[in-house]
Amino acid sequence: MLFVLLLPFIICVATVVALGPQPPRIRPVGLETFKSSRAGILNGTEFVNWIQSQRVKGVKAVALAEGSYHVLPSGDKAHIYLGSLDSMTIWMDSVNLTMTEVDLMAFQIYGCNDLKTYGPTVWWDTPGFSQATITNIQSTGGQNYDVQFHLDDGYDSSFLLNASTKHVNGEYTNPKTGRLEAGPGWSTISGTAKPVDGLRNTYTVPLSNSYFTPQVGYKLLARGSFIFCNQVGNSNSTVINDYTLLNCAGFGWSSSGNRKTTFNSFSLKPATFPPPNGTELPARSSSADGIHSSGDFIGPTFESCYFSALDDDCMAVHGSLNPIIGPGSTANSFTVSKGAAAPGDVLRFYANTTFEPLGNATVTSTTQGSIAVDHLPVPAPQLATTFWSNQNRVGSGFAVLNTHTTGNRGRGAIIKASNGIISGNLFEGVSYGAIDVGPEFSNWKEADYVHNVTITNNTVRNCNYINKAAAAVMVHGDGDNPLNGNSNITIDGLVIDGVSATNLYLGASGGLKLGNMTFLNAYRENYTLWEEWPGSVATFENVSFSKVEGTRKVVGGVQKTGVDLVKVLGKVEGVSDGGKGLVTGA
């Protein structure tokens, strides 16, 4: 199905499918239903085997009996492993599932086609975090500290003692919203927490190169294990409806090698009460991304999702930047240590340090550790200083629609894929950038430049308050920041409210199309915790514009001295005034 978006001044065609507003889910009557033989216990193996037996009979829709269950794992992959299911619907609505193994996924979906699931509320029996309160602090120089803390009631000390490295995350009250929020950043604990003699559940631990100054009373979250809480892989047309994930120790969902996974009405939020029949209150939320798509053939759709108080990013869609070891043994081939490719895939090559695009080539064949292409964009002796990305596996065709993110440390939507749409979303209290479009080659080796993307009718409120990110909304490059790295990106109907740091950054892009934007309460308060760069409401760097319509107004003026409306860096083309007039006062 082809999705067509008509704007006042551009028609953007992208291969994304939007479900639109969804009716209330009502489980159909008469479904074949699995009923556990043990009250309150779900044996994952028995449940999965039963589903497969129904598949063999030709049954296309099944259900799990309503109720609350502690789930026993189905093997060593996940509590519930759904594999090789085609054209099937599984109803797990009105179900609470409490996972019994803290370091094991809840659901893994693999090798399925046209699988639709109506999800449960998912917990873990033991929190993936230990949660604590700082009781004493000793500075050891610079941003390094010895921190003493006491475990909050209901948390297991084994997480703090079983590993040599941990991460902690401070919480503080956002001065704009008055809410207790994540942040302001990770700090690595460089050694095992040590018990304090004579004090029950009290420990000391070193904090190295802390992004924030800890204070007595701050909450810390110590991660005991890191997992993909749920995973979908190598599947086509998977729909994940109405899942609520209340606590875990990793990515809420991981997606890789798929052709369109739709997350509809998915929620990841803090739990305010223990799981059914449980006594321990889970820690706030996931320690990493809400949903992370890496290497999908067709990117995911996020629609009507809700992310609250995550300790990292909400939605990420990208491919990988992979190193080349050197020339292969046959003509036009090279050796690799990582990365996936198949005949017909288009690869893009990049310079080692500047990440300058060097050209594309098409895969003709692959063997273990080697890829052959129709031609080499660089001389064979230079291959060992070259990277490559697979343009067929960056998640293009994504959609982020009508989704709400609030109070998370990290970023909102991180997009490194093409042919997609970001529309109708609300981002509030996101500590870094709310909308972040463009590659991150140098830090995370995540590809790629972005093309043919529409960003429309989004609201960004009280974001980028740490101000390490360049802007609350940003389109950017990496390395040499080329003028035409990204292309054909449309931004219209954008409202940015209450950002006391850079509101908008557009860089390394050609053929940009700008519509209406409103900047409210710009630089209202000087409370950002990082250096202020570049000190403007909007910054344009190495960009060209193909169409500029509507207005981009700062309503009420800039409420801090020394801050410009616009900064222009490098080249700005396609506008008569060099970009200085792209944003005006009301």
Side-chain angles (χ1 to χ4, degrees):
M1 181 176 180
L2 201 61
F3 181 83
V4 181
L5 177 70
L6 179 62
L7 294 176
F9 49 88
I10 181 174
I11 296 176
C12 181
V13 179
T15 54
V16 296
V17 178
L19 293 179
Q22 298 295 290
R25 305 293 195 273
I26 301 175
R27 181 186 294 204
V29 298
L31 291 174
E32 294 291 335
T33 300
F34 180 83
K35 298 178 181 179
S36 177
S37 60
R38 299 172 60 189
I41 301 294
L42 177 65
N43 184 304
T45 300
E46 292 179 0
F47 180 46
V48 169
N49 288 343
W50 177 84
I51 292 172
Q52 292 289 357
S53 71
Q54 297 301 307
R55 178 188 64 83
V56 171
K57 295 176 183 179
V59 176
K60 295 297 185 181
V62 298
L64 173 62
E66 297 179 5
S68 296
Y69 304 91
H70 276 72
V71 184
L72 306 180
S74 57
D76 58 0
K77 295 179 179 179
H79 287 80
I80 297 175
Y81 177 82
L82 302 174
S84 303
L85 295 173
D86 295 340
S87 301
M88 206 162 186
T89 300
I90 303 173
W91 291 82
M92 294 174 286
D93 58 317
S94 301
V95 169
N96 289 295
L97 297 180
T98 302
M99 305 300 157
T100 54
E101 299 292 332
V102 70
D103 58 352
L104 195 64
M105 280 186 282
F107 288 90
Q108 186 176 36
I109 298 171
Y110 191 84
C112 296
N113 296 287
D114 192 25
L115 174 66
K116 182 180 293 185
T117 63
Y118 291 98
T121 297
V122 178
W123 316 70
W124 268 259
D125 197 27
T126 303
F129 290 118
S130 291
Q131 182 169 288
T133 303
I134 293 179
T135 55
N136 190 30
I137 302 163
Q138 296 292 327
S139 174
T140 56
Q143 288 295 105
N144 304 308
Y145 307 91
D146 283 335
V147 174
Q148 177 178 295
F149 54 88
H150 181 270
L151 284 178
D152 293 350
D153 290 341
Y155 288 90
D156 188 347
S157 63
S158 63
F159 291 110
L160 294 168
L161 302 177
N162 283 346
S164 60
T165 58
K166 292 287 183 287
H167 292 80
V168 300
N169 187 256
E171 291 184 325
Y172 78 114
T173 301
N174 185 334
K176 287 191 174 299
T177 65
R179 291 192 301 266
L180 192 67
E181 294 182 351
W186 287 120
S187 293
T188 299
I189 300 176
S190 59
T192 301
K194 298 179 180 179
V196 176
D197 291 341
L199 295 177
R200 186 180 68 87
N201 285 342
T202 301
Y203 302 84
T204 58
V205 68
L207 242 60
S208 303
N209 299 316
S210 177
Y211 289 169
F212 68 102
T213 302
Q215 297 181 22
V216 171
Y218 272 12
K219 294 289 187 181
L220 299 181
L221 301 179
R223 189 175 68 203
S225 61
F226 180 87
I227 61 171
F228 296 139
C229 297
N230 301 275
Q231 188 176 53
V232 55
N234 288 15
S235 297
N236 302 321
S237 301
T238 305
V239 179
I240 296 169
N241 287 300
D242 297 328
Y243 281 67
T244 297
L245 187 62
L246 291 176
N247 65 314
C248 65
F251 296 158
W253 276 87
S254 170
S255 174
S256 181
N258 301 296
R259 289 175 171 83
K260 185 53 67 182
T261 302
T262 298
F263 297 90
N264 184 68
S265 297
F266 170 84
S267 296
L268 204 167
K269 57 188 178 180
T272 57
F273 47 89
N277 303 316
T279 59
E280 295 178 341
L281 176 66
R284 294 178 317 139
S285 195
S286 171
S287 66
D289 298 351
I291 302 176
H292 195 108
S293 163
S294 175
D296 279 332
F297 293 99
I298 301 175
T301 289
F302 311 102
E303 184 163 12
S304 302
C305 296
Y306 178 74
F307 302 92
S308 175
L310 273 66
D311 287 316
D312 215 322
D313 307 319
C314 290
M315 297 161 284
V317 183
H318 65 84
S320 62
L321 186 73
N322 309 296
I324 293 176
I325 298 175
S329 58
T330 60
N332 296 331
S333 69
F334 55 92
T335 56
V336 298
S337 59
K338 57 180 293 188
D345 287 350
V346 176
L347 309 186
R348 181 171 295 161
F349 293 75
Y350 289 95
N352 183 36
T353 56
T354 64
F355 303 111
E356 176 189 359
L358 301 175
N360 294 351
T362 301
V363 177
T364 57
S365 65
T366 63
T367 57
Q368 183 67 36
S370 179
I371 298 173
V373 292
D374 58 354
H375 72 286
L376 290 174
V378 297
Q382 296 179 19
L383 284 170
T385 59
T386 303
F387 288 93
W388 64 278
S389 70
N390 188 337
Q391 299 301 287
N392 293 74
R393 296 196 60 167
V394 296
S396 293
F398 71 92
V400 182
L401 305 169
N402 305 317
T403 286
H404 182 192
T405 70
T406 179
N408 71 290
R409 176 248 173 227
R411 291 168 287 180
I414 309 173
I415 304 299
K416 304 172 177 71
S418 298
N419 304 325
I421 182 171
I422 305 170
S423 182
N425 305 289
L426 171 61
F427 302 90
E428 59 175 352
V430 177
S431 65
Y432 296 111
I435 301 174
D436 185 329
V437 174
E440 288 182 280
F441 296 138
S442 53
N443 288 334
W444 295 104
K445 297 299 184 287
E446 292 179 353
D448 208 315
Y449 282 104
V450 172
H451 312 281
N452 309 317
V453 168
T454 296
I455 303 169
T456 183
N457 298 327
N458 297 286
T459 297
V460 174
R461 183 179 300 137
N462 299 325
C463 296
N464 198 32
Y465 53 81
I466 291 179
N467 196 25
K468 184 182 181 184
V473 174
M474 57 190 300
V475 179
H476 59 85
D478 201 345
D480 61 357
N481 218 23
L483 183 65
N484 293 307
N486 307 294
S487 69
N488 193 29
I489 296 174
T490 298
I491 306 176
D492 187 30
L494 177 64
V495 176
I496 300 180
D497 184 7
V499 172
S500 292
T502 302
N503 285 220
L504 176 70
Y505 173 89
L506 302 179
S509 300
L512 288 175
K513 302 172 181 67
L514 297 189
N516 294 304
M517 301 181 190
T518 303
F519 304 91
L520 303 170
N521 300 304
Y523 284 84
R524 179 173 57 188
E525 299 177 54
N526 182 21
Y527 77 102
T528 53
L529 304 176
W530 288 83
E531 73 281 359
E532 292 196 14
W533 178 92
S536 63
V537 175
T539 297
F540 307 108
E541 180 179 17
N542 289 346
V543 293
S544 68
F545 297 92
S546 62
K547 186 166 289 188
V548 177
E549 294 186 355
T551 61
R552 288 145 303 281
K553 292 184 178 180
V554 178
V555 177
V558 180
Q559 300 178 38
K560 183 180 177 183
T561 59
V563 176
D564 298 327
L565 287 180
V566 173
K567 268 194 184 343
V568 174
L569 305 172
K571 295 180 179 180
V572 174
E573 300 177 353
V575 286
S576 59
D577 60 359
K580 284 291 187 179
L582 287 173
V583 176
T584 63

